[in-house]
Amino acid sequence: MRNSSTRPVTAVILVAAGSGQRLGYGMPKAAVPLGGDTILIHALRGIVAAGVGVQICVALPAGDDGLRAQCDAFRDELADGGPLLTVVDGGATRAGSVRAGLAALMEGVEAVLVHDAARALTPEAVFHRVADALDAGAEAVIPAVAVVDTVKTVVATDGGDAAIAPELVTGTAPREELRAVQTPQGFRLATLLKAHAAAAALDPASAAAVTDDAMLVEMLGTPVYAVRGSTQSLKITTPLDLILAEGLLEGPLGARWVEG
Ligand code: CTP
Ligand code: MG
């Protein structure tokens, strides 16, 4: 394990309680088959292989006995001295699932990595870069990659313009300053608890706009640092992403590609 007396005692919250609407598989995304296993099991294996936490707290869709059984079987695979695997019912939103995980952390945890089960193929090196930045003193750290597309802002057209096209371009974002951010996102526990407590005061529209934990920490005014993520850490969201993930695991090279 990476935890030693000089490292913060770290837990991982794995949020796996989403319904997977965009993947359209007719089952929760965590249960979707991937490379002979499920997305959930790949995500759990990645965390254990990285060796970053004394506890893995998994948020599952409430009442999903199949995914619970997968966690129970996985727990039996863990070596003695491995992380404690805890299962909780997730919430109606991703933030709610993170909060359910926070409520079930072991006594003594000092830092938390929040990871999306949908990023089932995150390389170990990404976990290590995030954990190392926490060790080095960051309150909050996220993995990030450069944006390859040019990104523009738009508004819906109306009146005569609507007959031409549905949207009008209002500007071009400076690409060199943009990053696409991933998980695991790492936090000192006290900072993440404070951020989620503050989130409770947000109006429903602002709460719906919260797509990651770092955003909540940014709202506190606490610095959030970025380390290098990985294109292999794709979020399996659409059917195309699932094809890519399968390709990474079973591609023509016959071996799992690892882009650290
Ligand atoms: N998540 C969660 N609880 C929710 C919603 C999302 O734990 N109520 C988790 C998902 O399981 C996923 C991660 O948050 O690992 C990122 O969410 P996303 O990729 O949007 O997954 P889904 O919400 O399942 O997909 P969709 O939005 O297409 O329904
Ligand atoms: Mg979602």
Side-chain angles (χ1 to χ4, degrees), residues 15-23 29 59 91-94 97 116-118 235-237:
V15 285
S19 56
Q21 293 293 313
R22 286 168 289 178
L23 197 55
K29 188 154 65 182
T93 61
R94 183 187 180 282
S97 295
D116 289 340
K235 183 153 76 81
I236 301 171
T237 307

Side-chain angles (χ1 to χ4, degrees), residues 100-120:
L102 284 169
L105 293 182
M106 285 163 49
E107 200 64 34
V109 167
E110 298 166 310
V112 184
L113 306 187
V114 182
H115 190 46
D116 289 340
R119 296 191 191 272

Side-chain angles (χ1 to χ4, degrees), residues 125-148:
V126 176
F127 285 96
H128 295 164
R129 285 196 282 273
V130 171
D132 288 349
L134 287 175
D135 294 347
E139 289 288 325
V141 57
I142 60 178
V145 292
V147 172
V148 291

Side-chain angles (χ1 to χ4, degrees), residues 39-259:
I39 287 178
L40 174 69
I41 294 299
H42 277 281
L44 284 170
R45 289 224 171 93
I47 295 166
V48 173
V52 281
V54 295
Q55 180 185 13
I56 304 172
C57 189
V58 190
L60 294 179
D64 192 314
D65 293 336
L67 283 170
R68 266 183 174 59
Q70 285 183 34
C71 283
D72 289 340
F74 185 78
R75 191 181 287 116
D76 293 341
E77 275 180 36
L78 292 173
D80 285 349
L84 174 73
L85 185 65
T86 311
V87 175
V88 296
D89 282 344
T93 61
R94 183 187 180 282
S97 295
V98 173
R99 281 195 282 276
L102 284 169
L105 293 182
M106 285 163 49
E107 200 64 34
V109 167
E110 298 166 310
V112 184
L113 306 187
V114 182
H115 190 46
D116 289 340
R119 296 191 191 272
L121 302 184
T122 301
E124 288 173 34
V126 176
F127 285 96
H128 295 164
R129 285 196 282 273
V130 171
D132 288 349
L134 287 175
D135 294 347
E139 289 288 325
V141 57
I142 60 178
V145 292
V147 172
V148 291
D149 295 317
T150 295
V151 177
K152 298 197 187 280
T153 51
V154 298
V155 291
T157 48
D158 55 12
D161 280 357
I164 301 172
E167 293 178 337
L168 177 70
V169 173
T170 54
T172 304
R175 193 169 65 181
E176 65 283 2
E177 288 177 25
L178 296 177
R179 297 291 178 269
V181 312
Q182 306 179 329
T183 67
Q185 300 193 341
F187 307 93
R188 287 279 167 170
L189 178 60
T191 298
L192 189 59
L193 287 172
K194 202 160 115 187
H196 275 275
L202 293 175
D203 62 79
S206 308
V210 172
T211 49
D212 75 351
D213 298 281
M215 250 177 100
L216 296 174
V217 174
E218 290 160 46
M219 289 175 192
L220 296 178
T222 301
V224 176
Y225 292 93
V227 295
R228 189 160 56 84
S230 165
T231 54
Q232 186 174 315
S233 188
L234 79 162
K235 183 153 76 81
I236 301 171
T237 307
T238 64
L240 177 63
D241 299 323
L242 191 58
I243 292 167
L244 283 172
E246 287 284 3
L248 290 172
L249 290 168
E250 301 168 5
L253 297 179
R256 180 172 165 168
W257 174 57
V258 174
E259 190 225 57

